[in-house]
Amino acid sequence: MAGRGFLKSRLAQVAPIEPQEPPKPHGHPNPEEPPKLAAPQVPHTDVPTIPIAGLNTQFLVAGNQQVARGRRAMLANMAQGTGSPNLCDNISAKFSNIDLGNLKDIVRPTISPEHKKTEVPKLLTPPKQEQTQIVDIPAAKEEKSPVICRVLKKSEKDAYQMTQLSSNYIRIKLEEDKGIYEYRVDFNPPVDAKSARFFLVNEHRDLFPVKTFDGTLLYVPKMLPQNVTTLVGTLRDDSKVTLTITFKRKNSLRECIHFYNVFLRTIMKILGLVEFGRSCYDQNKRILIPEFKLEVWPGYITTIDEFENGLYMCAEVSHRVLRVQTVLQIMTDIMMNSKNNNTDSKQEIMAALCGATVITHYNRKTYRVDDVDFTMNPLSTFDQHGVQVSYKDYYKKMYDIEIKNLQQPMMITKAKKKDINNKNDNEGICCLVPELCNLTGLTEAMKTDFKLMKALQNHTLVTPEVRQKAIVEFVNRINAHEGASKKLKDWGLMMRPVPVKMEGPVYKRETILLGNSIRKQVGMNMDWGMDVAKNAMFVAVNMLNWAIMYNPKDEPTAKSFCKQLAACGRPLGMEINPPKPIKIQGTTPESFVSTINNTIKNNSEIQLVVIIFPNQREDRYNAVKRICCSEIGIPSQVIISRTLSKPERLQSITQKIALQINCKLGGACWAIDIPLKNTMIVGIDVYHEKGKQTSSVVGFVASMDKTFTEWYSVAAMQRSTHQELMKSVQDAFHKVVVQFKAKNGLLPEKIIIYRDGVSDGDLKQVEEIELSDLIESFKSYPGNYNPMVSLIIVQKRINTRVFQYVNEKYSNPSSGTVIDNTVTRRNHFDFFLVSQHVRQGTVNPTHYIVLKNGCNLSVENVQRLSYKLCHLYYNWCGTVKVPAPVQYAHKLAYLIGQNVRQMPSEGLCNSLFFL
């Protein structure tokens, strides 16, 4: 269904939007209000908006109250206020009893008694500036000492060697006696109008030329000479007002982080970079790829945060792919293809555009397409300040753009909160002209185009040397720009174009344990595929009774595959009998499902079914996996016919399939020596279904044996509420602990949990609420069960990069490299681990945060255990980015949430059926 109604139904499913103060209408800036450093004034929306008739805005803004964004919200957070009209009273009550005497030596220079007794004149002149001295930001003086958890070289017998490393962090320093100093401004007689307050403060801009003021609280980068400064201002009616500016405190470094990040985005805008989400890109350095009608914009992802050694800026090189064709050209191509294929062109256009992101070059903004209205065109009108104006005339007047095609449909996007300039309660929608928009990103068809992706990799795969050089050039560009460097200097900040250097351990290569007590050391390229192919697996399971299903035209492919599988199974230690061949008439999902049903009814002893699909089709795959995993409970292996069609690759592909099948039958391909006794290792991940933010699947995988090669899996589907998520995790723990005792005769003494999918903002909740609830739930077990529990958060979508720095050159570090100092979290036990080996581009590390170390593992043991577990993922004969239990939990949650959408059969839970 196309048109406005489609948009309404789509918007009704979106997540609640955080409430935010509507921006002011466009016009000349208020002369009484100072320039806004942290967040520039929001201009009038560059795209006309029209209200959505009948849309219930209460639904869109309801829900959990989130922290508002922007300068004023930031200042309110600093003051720990509520942002209400009674902010003045709240601040007064909160800080009235604070004794500033104890803060003298920490946050301000000592003031002599003579200075205290001096009468404050009506207008103070700024004190004489002393020579500027650059110092490191004294983080340790403002907060408690950092948590330092690192390994140190003790002897040559250590399992690691120290090496020189670098990362994509730039140290940020601060001028002495500068920071963010907070003052309370009182007016006598009281002044209620905020504009008048700004006017009075601006009269004394020579005393504080650089400031941020919200009407009550004043923030300046350098402390004023006195604790209490009294000034006199004059309103426009010539009435006198006394301003009492009282020092409150110097904000701690952690409270300044948001201020510095907003400030950094201001710097990016000054440099002329274009924002895409949280990244900024340089359109002047875009790279054209004309053969594929694409262009690549280079850019940066930057964040400032407090780390173990102070304040650092993380700067990651990024790339954004844009389509050269306009959206109108893409619409025209779709319509021509639909005409040739006798399909509905409108539905094809909707499918291609809805949910996509477009950029409008006339105002350098991005929008998400929510709908396409085929009843509108550029001649349609909208209400602009009570006057009906056509889109054609609007763009001609505002941007001097002449729209050529006057019959094209209009794209609809829900207006962003900051772009809504009307003061009523109705949400607005923006109407975009396809002729003036370009799509961003790649389609699924493009991602499968080998030549296209190869061309993109030539520009987007950046080596460590080039990456670090780009970061240095970026910092030099900031320092060389007059406006950007002045902003930095105003607040006393300084960046040196030198990436951080540190020392870190590199752990020795592990030894793979195979069948018949064979041990093979891992090579430099972290690939042991040849060793696995030539030796028996650690635990091999025979295939004595299995079936293979295929279409009649794929019979030669099926026969060659069965022959090759039997040949590959012998060196792997698998005895593979000839299968029961079953031909399937038809290609519909129903034909495959009915055949599988009939086969299992006639032979209930079948261990496994192999299904060869004629082509890739999602509904057929989902139907087959649903009946096998959920309804019947039998392991299944689905193969696309084209995968087996090349004889030269048949052997290597069949070997990988044999390893998968062995795992699905309960076997183990290899093992790693992990000297932990009576310990259960758990991996947890959560899958969120796209477009339906209310449903999610928890994948829970736990080890069952001392070699950590046998895994028990539990999946749970529930709505995304905190209570139900925690209940699912606690129920899963109960199941796996019971299984562990049934297999080993006793409950696990230690439980080590690796959990993915936790953002920085959720760490405190997980540590203080979820973990304590979980430990409390163990007490309900028989015998007052109280295991030692360690919880380690795994974060793989990070912007940190790790480089080896040898002979003043940057390169990819070896697998097993760890950064555990300098740029690690100030208040957490954490580290970055490089577990993979890459042949091109830059390797991505994984961030591990140890929220609780109840098992009392040493720093070295936590790092080594995490690295060892990266060797145990059986779908790849090499190390992976995250520990194997986390990757298994991800695969389980994805299969159930994306394909099966039902709970798996209990009979499959003791094997890796989801590989």
Side-chain angles (χ1 to χ4, degrees):
M1 175 181 176
R4 195 83 49 81
F6 178 87
L7 172 68
K8 295 177 188 176
S9 61
R10 180 181 294 273
L11 293 181
Q13 299 175 0
V14 300
I17 299 174
E18 42 188 56
Q20 186 174 350
E21 179 184 353
K24 298 178 180 178
H26 179 59
H28 295 291
N30 189 344
E32 300 172 343
E33 190 166 341
K36 299 177 183 178
L37 170 68
Q41 184 179 6
V42 179
H44 183 283
T45 175
D46 293 290
V47 179
T49 63
I50 58 177
I52 303 177
L55 181 62
N56 185 355
T57 59
Q58 298 296 326
F59 173 82
L60 290 176
V61 300
N64 295 331
Q65 293 294 325
Q66 311 233 350
V67 178
R69 299 173 182 170
R71 181 180 68 92
R72 293 176 181 169
M74 172 194 68
L75 299 179
N77 288 338
M78 285 182 175
Q80 300 179 356
T82 61
S84 66
N86 298 323
L87 176 62
C88 181
D89 297 334
N90 293 338
I91 297 296
S92 177
K94 195 170 188 65
F95 293 107
S96 59
N97 296 323
I98 293 180
D99 182 8
L100 298 177
N102 296 331
L103 300 177
K104 287 190 235 179
D105 299 330
I106 300 177
V107 300
R108 64 180 179 88
T110 302
I111 300 177
S112 63
E114 289 76 15
H115 286 154
K116 294 180 183 179
K117 296 177 182 179
T118 302
E119 183 178 352
V120 181
K122 177 178 180 180
L123 182 63
L124 293 175
T125 57
K128 184 178 179 181
Q129 297 291 332
E130 299 179 357
Q131 185 177 2
T132 299
Q133 180 180 357
I134 304 298
V135 298
D136 288 355
I137 293 179
K141 292 183 180 180
E142 296 184 343
E143 294 187 4
K144 62 183 181 181
S145 300
V147 175
I148 299 177
C149 297
R150 66 182 67 172
V151 297
L152 299 173
K153 188 69 176 176
K154 297 177 182 177
S155 69
E156 294 301 322
K157 295 182 180 180
D158 289 335
Y160 54 88
Q161 293 181 345
M162 305 302 288
T163 187
Q164 291 298 315
L165 302 172
S166 180
S167 187
N168 57 335
Y169 285 84
I170 299 292
R171 183 68 180 267
I172 296 182
K173 296 187 178 182
L174 188 68
E175 292 181 17
E176 188 177 14
D177 295 333
K178 283 199 174 182
I180 298 182
Y181 294 87
E182 180 182 316
Y183 287 81
R184 160 80 176 274
V185 183
D186 293 300
F187 300 87
N188 186 24
V191 177
D192 293 330
K194 185 174 288 188
S195 59
R197 294 186 179 192
F198 281 114
F199 180 81
L200 290 168
V201 172
N202 281 343
E203 283 186 328
H204 306 286
R205 57 170 55 93
D206 55 340
L207 180 60
F208 22 73
V210 180
K211 64 182 179 301
T212 296
F213 180 56
D214 68 353
T216 301
L217 296 178
L218 174 70
Y219 296 89
V220 293
K222 192 171 179 65
M223 191 168 183
L224 301 179
Q226 285 82 24
N227 263 354
V228 180
T229 302
T230 303
L231 305 173
V232 177
T234 305
L235 292 173
R236 287 192 175 93
D237 61 358
D238 294 332
S239 60
K240 302 293 184 179
V241 177
T242 301
L243 286 71
T244 303
I245 304 175
T246 307
F247 173 73
K248 288 299 180 184
R249 60 176 180 155
K250 179 183 178 182
N251 282 298
S252 67
L253 192 59
R254 177 159 298 279
E255 293 173 300
C256 302
I257 296 301
H258 179 65
F259 179 91
Y260 288 140
N261 276 289
V262 175
F263 175 78
L264 183 60
R265 301 194 78 79
T266 305
I267 297 293
M268 306 290 266
K269 291 179 181 178
I270 293 175
L271 296 177
L273 302 182
V274 182
E275 284 192 30
F276 284 83
R278 297 184 178 180
S279 310
C280 294
Y281 297 88
D282 192 343
Q283 64 173 345
N284 297 323
K285 294 185 179 181
R286 58 179 180 263
I287 305 165
L288 295 176
I289 309 178
E291 61 269 29
F292 298 107
K293 301 177 181 179
L294 297 175
E295 60 183 17
V296 179
W297 289 21
Y300 310 93
I301 303 173
T302 55
T303 54
I304 293 178
D305 206 346
E306 182 191 21
F307 297 95
E308 178 184 312
N309 277 19
L311 204 66
Y312 285 87
M313 177 183 72
C314 177
E316 166 63 352
V317 175
S318 180
H319 295 86
R320 186 84 182 197
V321 179
L322 275 72
R323 314 266 278 277
V324 176
Q325 285 180 303
T326 66
V327 177
L328 179 59
Q329 292 172 328
I330 295 173
M331 283 181 170
T332 304
D333 293 343
I334 292 175
M335 292 178 71
M336 292 181 63
N337 293 334
S338 298
K339 187 176 181 180
N340 297 333
N341 299 331
N342 293 325
T343 57
D344 188 342
S345 60
K346 292 184 179 181
Q347 291 295 334
E348 294 290 334
I349 290 173
M350 293 282 292
L353 297 182
C354 286
T357 301
V358 298
I359 182 172
T360 52
H361 291 283
Y362 52 82
N363 62 356
R364 299 192 304 181
K365 285 189 176 183
T366 57
Y367 301 88
R368 185 183 186 275
V369 179
D370 292 302
D371 197 4
V372 180
D373 195 333
F374 293 93
T375 65
M376 297 180 65
N377 59 49
L379 296 178
S380 301
T381 61
F382 66 96
D383 189 318
Q384 185 181 32
H385 307 302
V387 179
Q388 291 297 315
V389 180
S390 71
Y391 294 96
K392 175 180 179 296
D393 296 338
Y394 174 84
Y395 283 100
K396 178 63 177 176
K397 178 182 177 181
M398 295 293 295
Y399 303 103
D400 195 24
I401 295 176
E402 193 72 45
I403 298 177
K404 299 175 182 179
N405 189 322
L406 301 179
Q407 302 301 321
Q408 57 185 309
M410 301 289 284
M411 295 185 299
I412 309 297
T413 177
K414 192 176 76 64
K416 300 174 184 177
K417 266 285 185 182
K418 65 179 182 179
D419 290 336
I420 299 174
N421 67 319
N422 52 7
K423 294 188 177 181
N424 55 35
D425 293 331
N426 291 329
E427 293 290 334
I429 60 172
C430 292
C431 295
L432 304 175
V433 182
E435 184 181 314
L436 307 180
C437 301
N438 293 78
L439 277 173
T440 68
L442 301 175
T443 64
E444 291 299 324
M446 289 180 173
K447 292 177 182 179
T448 58
D449 188 331
F450 176 77
K451 293 182 179 179
L452 184 151
M453 297 305 294
K454 186 71 175 177
L456 282 178
Q457 286 180 358
N458 294 334
H459 303 291
T460 57
L461 279 180
V462 184
T463 63
E465 193 73 34
V466 173
R467 189 179 294 270
Q468 291 293 77
K469 182 180 178 182
I471 294 173
V472 171
E473 290 177 352
F474 172 63
V475 177
N476 285 330
R477 181 177 175 183
I478 294 176
N479 292 332
H481 192 283
E482 183 178 355
S485 60
K486 183 180 183 303
K487 288 285 187 183
L488 286 172
K489 189 174 181 180
D490 285 344
W491 288 92
L493 300 176
M494 189 190 78
M495 300 180 189
R496 290 185 59 229
V498 180
V500 65
K501 309 292 189 306
M502 76 283 288
E503 192 178 49
V506 180
Y507 286 94
K508 296 178 181 178
R509 298 196 300 274
E510 295 290 336
T511 299
I512 300 298
L513 309 180
L514 298 169
N516 302 323
S517 301
I518 296 175
R519 303 171 68 91
K520 295 286 184 180
Q521 187 176 21
V522 178
M524 286 291 294
N525 61 353
M526 308 308 295
D527 184 358
W528 51 87
M530 295 296 294
D531 294 329
V532 172
K534 296 177 181 178
N535 296 279
M537 292 181 286
F538 188 73
V539 177
V541 180
N542 296 327
M543 290 175 60
L544 305 178
N545 187 358
W546 61 291
I548 184 167
M549 304 176 184
Y550 51 85
N551 281 136
K553 67 176 183 178
D554 292 327
E555 184 173 1
T557 302
K559 288 183 177 180
S560 60
F561 167 73
C562 293
K563 183 178 179 181
Q564 186 64 55
L565 185 63
C568 291
R570 284 189 288 271
L572 295 176
M574 290 180 69
E575 181 183 345
I576 302 177
N577 288 347
K580 179 180 180 181
I582 301 171
K583 296 179 183 179
I584 300 178
Q585 303 298 329
T587 60
T588 63
E590 293 77 15
S591 58
F592 278 84
V593 168
S594 61
T595 304
I596 294 172
N597 248 328
N598 295 332
T599 302
I600 302 303
K601 285 182 180 180
N602 296 332
N603 188 350
S604 59
E605 301 299 323
I606 287 182
Q607 296 173 273
L608 172 92
V609 291
V610 176
I611 304 104
I612 298 180
F613 281 174
N615 51 33
Q616 199 159 357
R617 186 171 157 182
E618 187 176 7
D619 61 339
R620 182 171 53 207
Y621 179 82
N622 293 349
V624 167
K625 283 297 179 181
R626 187 176 297 115
I627 188 174
C628 292
C629 297
S630 180
E631 298 175 14
I632 298 177
I634 184 171
S636 59
Q637 182 74 36
V638 175
I639 310 170
I640 306 298
S641 176
R642 185 179 66 253
T643 307
L644 306 173
S645 60
K646 296 181 179 180
E648 67 275 11
R649 298 186 58 195
L650 181 61
Q651 181 178 355
S652 62
I653 290 173
T654 306
Q655 285 177 347
K656 293 180 176 62
I657 293 175
L659 296 177
Q660 273 191 337
I661 290 176
N662 184 65
C663 296
K664 291 179 179 181
L665 295 177
C669 300
W670 59 82
I672 290 285
D673 185 21
I674 301 178
L676 290 174
K677 296 181 179 179
N678 196 19
T679 302
M680 182 171 70
I681 299 178
V682 177
I684 304 175
D685 198 4
V686 182
Y687 168 82
H688 301 286
E689 188 174 358
K690 293 180 181 179
K692 295 183 180 179
Q693 300 180 6
T694 57
S695 103
S696 57
V697 178
V698 179
F700 190 102
V701 178
S703 64
M704 291 286 114
D705 62 339
K706 61 182 180 181
T707 60
F708 304 97
T709 57
E710 183 178 335
W711 303 91
Y712 191 88
S713 60
V714 179
M717 296 180 69
Q718 82 288 316
R719 301 182 74 82
S720 298
T721 63
H722 168 68
Q723 292 82 3
E724 292 187 6
L725 177 65
M726 278 309 301
K727 186 177 186 303
S728 299
V729 171
Q730 292 177 14
D731 291 344
F733 262 107
H734 180 72
K735 289 182 181 179
V736 297
V737 166
V738 169
Q739 289 292 327
F740 189 96
K741 183 176 182 180
K743 178 174 176 58
N744 300 284
L746 71 168
L747 294 172
E749 180 182 344
K750 298 177 181 178
I751 299 177
I752 302 174
I753 307 167
Y754 285 89
R755 179 170 174 187
D756 198 356
V758 178
S759 63
D760 287 347
D762 294 331
L763 289 176
K764 188 174 183 180
Q765 174 181 300
V766 171
E767 181 179 12
E768 296 180 357
I769 300 177
E770 296 184 9
L771 183 59
S772 60
D773 289 349
L774 176 63
I775 295 175
E776 188 68 24
S777 69
F778 286 133
K779 296 181 180 179
S780 63
Y781 289 33
N784 196 22
Y785 179 50
N786 187 24
M788 293 182 284
V789 178
S790 291
L791 174 61
I792 304 173
I793 303 299
V794 181
Q795 296 178 334
K796 55 182 180 290
R797 294 183 180 89
I798 59 174
N799 296 321
T800 301
R801 297 293 176 264
V802 177
F803 309 103
Q804 188 171 334
Y805 186 68
V806 179
N807 299 326
E808 298 186 352
K809 290 187 177 180
Y810 300 97
S811 60
N812 278 319
S814 304
S815 178
T817 301
V818 170
I819 285 183
D820 58 3
N821 61 86
T822 307
V823 293
T824 50
R825 297 298 173 85
R826 180 175 177 79
N827 300 316
H828 287 297
F829 168 15
D830 69 321
F831 58 92
F832 298 93
L833 169 64
V834 175
S835 55
Q836 294 173 290
H837 173 80
V838 298
R839 296 181 176 87
Q840 54 186 351
T842 304
V843 69
N844 295 340
T846 301
H847 190 204
Y848 295 83
I849 304 175
V850 184
L851 287 188
K852 182 177 177 61
N853 188 15
C855 298
N856 298 322
L857 298 175
S858 67
V859 176
E860 177 186 348
N861 287 341
V862 173
Q863 295 176 0
R864 286 193 68 191
L865 174 63
S866 303
Y867 183 47
K868 283 174 177 287
L869 290 173
C870 293
H871 293 70
L872 288 175
Y873 182 60
Y874 295 140
N875 241 1
W876 177 252
C877 295
T879 50
V880 290
K881 192 173 181 179
V882 297
V886 172
Q887 188 65 17
Y888 289 142
H890 169 75
K891 291 284 287 186
L892 171 63
Y894 184 86
L895 177 69
I896 301 302
Q898 180 71 19
N899 305 114
V900 179
R901 300 185 182 181
Q902 294 179 10
M903 286 299 94
S905 172
E906 292 284 345
L908 295 178
C909 291
N910 58 355
S911 66
L912 302 174
F913 69 94
F914 41 82
L915 285 187

